[in-house]
Amino acid sequence: MRNLFLSLLLLGSVSTFAQTVFTYGPHSVSKNEFWRAYTKNNTGAVSETSIRDYLELYIRFKLKVQAAKDSKLDTLPTLKGDVAGFRAQLVEQYMRQQTSSRDLVQEAVQRSTEELEIAHVFVAYGADSAAAKTQIEKSYKELTGGADFNKTVAAYTTNEAIRKNAGYIGYISAFSLPYELENIVYSLKTGSISKPVAGANGWHIFKLLSRRATAGKLKAAQILFTIPQGASAAEKEAIKKQADSVYQLLQNGLKFADAALAYSTDKFSYNTGGVLPEFTFTSYDPAFSSVAFGLKKDGDISRPFLTSLGWHIVQRIAVTPFKVDLNDIQAFEEWNAKVSTDTRINVAREMLKQRLQTICGYKALPFQEQQLWKLTDTMLKSKNYVTFFNANRSKPLFQLKGKTITIADWLQYAKSQQRNLPVNQSNQNFSNLYKQFVNETVEQYYKDRLEQMNEDFNYQVKEFAEGSLLFEVMERTIWSKAPADSAGLITYYNNNKSKYKWMPSVNAVLFNCADTTVAHEALRMMQQHPERWKEIMDNMSGRALADSGRYEYAQLPVKAGTNLVPGLFTPVETNENDGSASFCYILKKYPGEEQRSFDEARGLVINDYQLLLEEKWINQLKKKYPVKVNEMLIKSLK
C-alpha cells in the first residue's frame, strides 16, 4: 500500500511538471503561460529555434520581475495605481464585449436584405388609455372576423393623416421602426395582421402587404425647391413653375451640378453638385425613394415631383447592390455602431444581466417584500439610519458564490439612491430599485473577480503588472545606473575603443518636414541661401525642423549608393508610414575607421555598458533562482 501511494504521488508530480516549461527557484511557468506569450510575440514560423530563443528571453523576463517583487516594488503606490487604472479600463472593455451584439448585428444585416411593405390601424392613447385599448381590441376582433382592412382603418384610426392614407406606411427595413415593433412586423406572413401592440404614442395593428429584396444603395443628386410652411397657393404654383423651368434647362444641356448650385434650396448639398450621401429605399420619404430608385440607369434625371418638403429633381449617379461581409472588421464595426445606438442593444444588456447572474451563482432567498419596503421607507425617513444597517447585517437577501448579500447591503444602497427616489415612495419604486440593486451587485461581484472568471483578463492584467515591474526595476538597476557611473563608462570605453570607430560619415544638416510639399518648399529656399538654414527653419512655423551633426551613411534618409559630396542637397525622400519627408545638405565628408572620442561614442558606450550590467545582474539572479528547463516539453512545442 505504501509503495502504491508513493507511485501515485510520483505520477502526480511528473504530471504537474509535464505542464511546466521551466522553474526558477521555487517559482514555475506553465505551458499555457509560456505558449501564450510566445505566440503573441513570435512573428515568424514556429520552430524549435524560435521557441528556444524566446525561452531565454522569457526566463530573463521572469527573473527580473521576481527581483522587482523581492525589492517590494509591487507595493509602490504609483505602480499599484497604474495597475488599478489599467484594470479599470480593461474591465469596462470586457463588459462591453460581454454585451455581445454580434447576434443582433447579424439579425440587422439579414433583415436589411429585405424591404417590407406595411400598413397599420392606429389608435392614439389620448386622455383615456383604457378607451384606446378597448378600441384597438374591437378593431382587431373585426379584422380577425374578416372585416376589410381599409374600412377598419377608416373606422378606428384616430390620426387623420393616417386615415386618409388608408393606414399605409410604405416600405420599411431594419432600424425603420422601434425594435419591439420591428420584431413584430418581421414575424408576419404576407397578408397577415399582428395582434394589437403598444407603441410610444398609441396602439397599432400591423398588416404585412408584401416583401421584396432590398434595392441596394443609391448614389444620387437632387435639386430641391422648398415650399415654405404656410405658403399661399400662388407661391406654391410659382415654385412648381420654377422647378419645371429648371428641368427644361437640364434637358437643354445645363449641367446638373451647376443647376444645383444655382437653384437648389437644400443647404446641405447644393454646393457639392446636389450629391446626397448614399441611401437605401427606406432612408427617406417613400415618395422621394420611389422616384429616385425608379430611375433606370446612371445619369437619368427625373421630372419634378412633389414631397412634403417641396419639389425635387433627382439624378441617378450609381446603384450599389446590398452586400455586407461581417468578417470584414470595418464593416462589422459600422453595423455594430448602428446596433449599439439603437433600442435593440437593450436586449443584449438584459441577456448579459441574466448571464452574469448564472455565472456568479445568484440565488434569491425568501423574504417578505412588503415588510422590506416598509423597513426601507422607515430607514430613509430616519435621521439615525446607521442603526438600521447594524441591525440587519446578518439577515440574508440573496447569495452569490461565496458571498451572502444582506438586508443591510440593500438598505445602504437604497440610502445612496435616495435622491433619485420620489419624495413619497411607493412599493413599485422600491421594487424597481431592488431589481437595479441586484443587477448592480451581481455586476460588481463579477468585475471584482474577473481574474478568476476569465483567463484572458487575468493574463492581460498580469502582463501589464509584470511589465510595469520590469520597467521600474530596469530603470532603478540598469537604465539610470549606467549613465550616472561616469568612471565605469570611461573605463569601459578605454577597454573597448576598437568598437567605437566611425563608419564612412558626413557633417550634414538634416531636414525633417511635415510632408513632401513642405519639403520641396524648404529645399527651394535652402538652395538659394544654404548658409541661412537656421533662419529659414525659424520661419517655417514648425512645418519643418533641422539639425546639424555628424551622421554615418546609414543614418541619412538617402537611397543606397547616393554619392555624398560637400554642397549636395539630397533628393526629398517621403516616409510612406506617415507622409513626412526629409532631405540633407552635405557639408563635409569623412572616410571610415576614425576613432570616436568618448563624447562622440557616449550614447553607444552607455548602451553597451547597460548590457554588461544587465548580464552581470542576470547571472546573479540565476544563482539566486536556479533555472530548470523541461526539455521534453520544449521539444514537443511545435
Side-chain angles (χ1 to χ4, degrees):
M1 180 63 70
R2 179 175 179 275
N3 290 338
L4 177 60
F5 175 77
L6 290 174
S7 298
L8 292 172
L9 182 62
L10 180 59
L11 284 172
S13 300
V14 170
S15 176
T16 301
F17 184 71
Q19 296 302 310
T20 299
V21 175
F22 67 90
T23 59
Y24 53 110
H27 312 287
S28 63
V29 171
S30 69
K31 173 185 174 181
N32 286 346
E33 178 185 346
F34 174 77
W35 193 247
R36 180 187 179 90
Y38 168 75
T39 53
K40 178 180 178 181
N41 293 284
N42 180 53
T43 56
V46 175
S47 66
E48 185 173 345
T49 299
S50 66
I51 290 172
R52 289 191 178 278
D53 288 345
Y54 190 75
L55 175 63
E56 178 58 27
L57 292 175
Y58 205 66
I59 288 172
R60 295 163 72 96
F61 166 70
K62 298 300 283 189
L63 289 172
K64 294 171 187 175
V65 170
Q66 190 57 48
K69 292 178 180 179
D70 291 345
S71 299
K72 307 295 184 185
L73 297 185
D74 53 343
T75 65
L76 290 174
T78 52
L79 287 189
K80 291 175 71 174
D82 288 344
V83 174
F86 173 79
R87 186 187 186 279
Q89 291 180 354
L90 195 62
V91 163
E92 294 310 312
Q93 177 184 324
Y94 268 75
M95 293 307 293
R96 286 194 297 271
Q97 291 173 354
Q98 288 286 340
T99 309
S100 176
S101 56
R102 177 165 286 277
D103 290 345
L104 292 172
V105 168
Q106 290 174 335
E107 178 188 70
V109 170
Q110 179 58 40
R111 287 181 177 180
S112 295
T113 62
E114 280 190 310
E115 292 168 347
L116 276 57
E117 187 182 20
I118 60 172
H120 68 148
V121 179
F122 175 73
V123 179
Y125 294 133
D128 189 346
S129 59
K133 186 175 183 182
T134 298
Q135 285 293 94
I136 200 71
E137 287 176 344
K138 187 176 179 182
S139 66
Y140 179 70
K141 185 176 181 180
E142 290 186 10
L143 286 170
T144 53
D148 180 76
F149 188 83
N150 291 348
K151 291 181 180 179
T152 304
V153 171
Y156 291 96
T157 291
T158 56
N159 182 284
E160 181 63 24
I162 295 174
R163 189 163 53 245
K164 282 184 178 180
N165 207 30
Y168 186 72
I169 294 175
Y171 285 94
I172 64 100
S173 190
F175 305 106
S176 298
L177 299 174
Y179 186 58
E180 296 79 6
L181 303 185
E182 179 189 306
N183 283 335
I184 290 168
V185 171
Y186 269 86
S187 68
L188 295 175
K189 294 181 179 180
T190 302
S192 66
I193 62 171
S194 72
K195 292 181 178 179
V197 55
N201 302 309
W203 291 91
H204 305 262
I205 297 173
F206 291 102
K207 182 175 183 179
L208 179 59
L209 304 175
S210 68
R211 292 174 180 260
R212 70 182 185 191
T214 295
K217 290 185 176 182
L218 178 64
K219 188 80 170 181
Q222 77 155 340
I223 302 169
L224 172 64
F225 305 88
T226 303
I227 297 177
Q229 192 172 8
S232 65
E235 289 172 327
K236 292 179 180 178
E237 182 61 25
I239 293 169
K240 179 182 183 303
K241 286 182 178 179
Q242 184 189 30
D244 289 336
S245 66
V246 171
Y247 177 72
Q248 287 303 317
L249 291 173
L250 291 168
Q251 295 301 301
N252 292 332
L254 178 64
K255 290 183 178 179
F256 197 93
D258 294 339
L261 184 61
Y263 301 106
S264 181
T265 57
D266 179 2
K267 61 182 180 180
F268 297 107
S269 68
Y270 79 96
N271 62 350
T272 58
V275 177
L276 301 168
E278 228 177 14
F279 60 94
T280 63
F281 189 94
T282 58
S283 298
Y284 294 130
D285 185 322
F288 180 88
S289 293
S290 294
V291 175
F293 276 86
L295 296 170
K296 299 301 182 184
K297 62 181 185 296
D298 296 349
D300 280 359
I301 297 174
S302 73
R303 288 182 173 277
F305 63 94
L306 186 64
T307 73
S308 59
L309 296 177
W311 289 90
H312 305 256
I313 301 174
V314 174
Q315 181 181 48
R316 169 172 152 166
I317 298 174
V319 175
T320 305
F322 182 83
K323 186 178 181 181
V324 178
D325 179 9
L326 291 181
N327 292 320
D328 182 293
I329 295 176
Q330 183 177 348
F332 177 81
E333 289 302 327
E334 288 175 359
W335 279 84
N336 191 47
K338 294 175 69 174
V339 166
S340 298
T341 55
D342 187 70
T343 55
R344 66 190 68 214
I345 196 63
N346 295 329
V347 173
R349 289 175 181 148
E350 286 302 317
M351 291 172 62
L352 173 62
K353 290 173 185 177
Q354 296 302 316
R355 190 162 65 250
L356 290 185
Q357 287 188 11
T358 301
I359 293 171
C360 297
Y362 170 78
K363 181 182 179 182
L365 300 175
F367 65 91
Q368 293 294 323
E369 277 195 11
Q370 300 305 317
Q371 292 180 13
L372 183 59
W373 306 155
K374 184 175 180 180
L375 174 65
T376 306
D377 187 53
T378 304
M379 180 274 298
L380 292 175
K381 293 175 180 176
S382 173
K383 293 182 178 180
N384 191 17
Y385 53 82
V386 176
T387 58
F388 289 84
F389 301 161
N390 295 333
N392 290 280
R393 293 194 184 281
S394 60
K395 298 178 181 178
L397 280 177
F398 60 87
Q399 289 180 333
L400 302 173
K401 291 179 180 178
K403 185 173 183 179
T404 300
I405 308 302
T406 67
I407 291 178
D409 296 319
W410 153 250
L411 294 176
Q412 289 174 335
Y413 180 81
K415 185 64 181 177
S416 71
Q417 299 293 315
Q418 187 171 8
R419 68 178 61 183
N420 300 323
L421 290 169
V423 175
N424 297 314
Q425 293 89 3
S426 67
N427 288 347
Q428 188 59 50
N429 294 145
F430 287 133
S431 180
N432 293 338
L433 186 64
Y434 184 78
K435 291 176 184 176
Q436 182 177 308
F437 165 67
V438 170
N439 289 329
E440 290 186 15
T441 302
V442 170
E443 182 177 312
Q444 192 59 52
Y445 179 91
Y446 178 77
K447 288 178 177 179
D448 291 342
R449 293 160 179 79
L450 254 172
E451 283 85 350
Q452 292 79 47
M453 297 186 178
N454 189 298
E455 186 179 32
D456 286 340
F457 181 88
N458 181 48
Y459 272 121
Q460 284 189 262
V461 173
K462 181 180 179 182
E463 185 178 60
F464 180 86
E466 291 189 339
S468 299
L469 285 172
L470 175 66
F471 184 91
E472 187 68 25
V473 75
M474 288 294 289
E475 177 64 29
R476 290 171 178 242
T477 309
I478 306 297
W479 295 336
S480 62
K481 184 176 179 180
D485 186 2
S486 300
L489 289 172
I490 292 173
T491 299
Y492 187 86
Y493 168 77
N494 289 329
N495 292 337
N496 297 275
K497 275 189 174 183
S498 61
K499 293 174 60 177
Y500 305 112
K501 291 185 177 181
W502 284 103
M503 298 290 284
S505 58
V506 294
N507 275 347
V509 183
L510 179 58
F511 297 85
N512 294 303
C513 307
D515 54 43
T516 304
T517 302
V518 174
H520 283 292
E521 179 186 347
L523 177 57
R524 284 194 300 271
M525 290 188 287
M526 279 298 303
Q527 287 172 331
Q528 294 172 7
H529 302 286
E531 75 285 353
R532 293 167 55 186
W533 67 270
K534 289 185 179 179
E535 179 185 343
I536 292 171
M537 289 301 102
D538 288 342
N539 293 330
M540 294 294 289
S541 303
R543 295 180 299 145
L545 301 172
D547 195 16
S548 63
R550 186 169 176 177
Y551 303 95
E552 293 179 342
Y553 289 2
Q555 296 175 285
L556 298 173
V558 297
K559 285 185 169 61
T562 302
N563 184 21
L564 302 175
V565 295
L568 172 71
F569 284 97
T570 64
V572 171
E573 295 290 335
T574 303
N575 186 326
E576 294 181 359
N577 293 324
D578 60 10
S580 62
S582 306
F583 67 93
C584 305
Y585 176 48
I586 308 302
L587 300 173
K588 186 176 180 180
K589 186 174 182 178
Y590 299 93
E593 294 302 312
E594 285 186 80
Q595 180 65 50
R596 290 177 185 257
S597 67
F598 174 75
D599 287 339
E600 290 173 332
R602 182 180 177 83
L604 299 172
V605 174
I606 288 174
N607 184 66
D608 290 342
Y609 191 52
Q610 285 175 336
L611 293 175
L612 176 66
L613 294 179
E614 184 177 347
E615 286 304 315
K616 290 181 178 179
W617 183 42
I618 289 294
N619 289 333
Q620 293 170 0
L621 291 176
K622 285 184 176 180
K623 290 178 181 179
K624 184 176 181 179
Y625 297 106
V627 176
K628 183 178 179 182
V629 176
N630 185 342
E631 289 293 338
M632 290 183 64
L633 182 57
I634 292 297
K635 291 178 181 179
S636 70
L637 293 176
K638 290 183 182 179

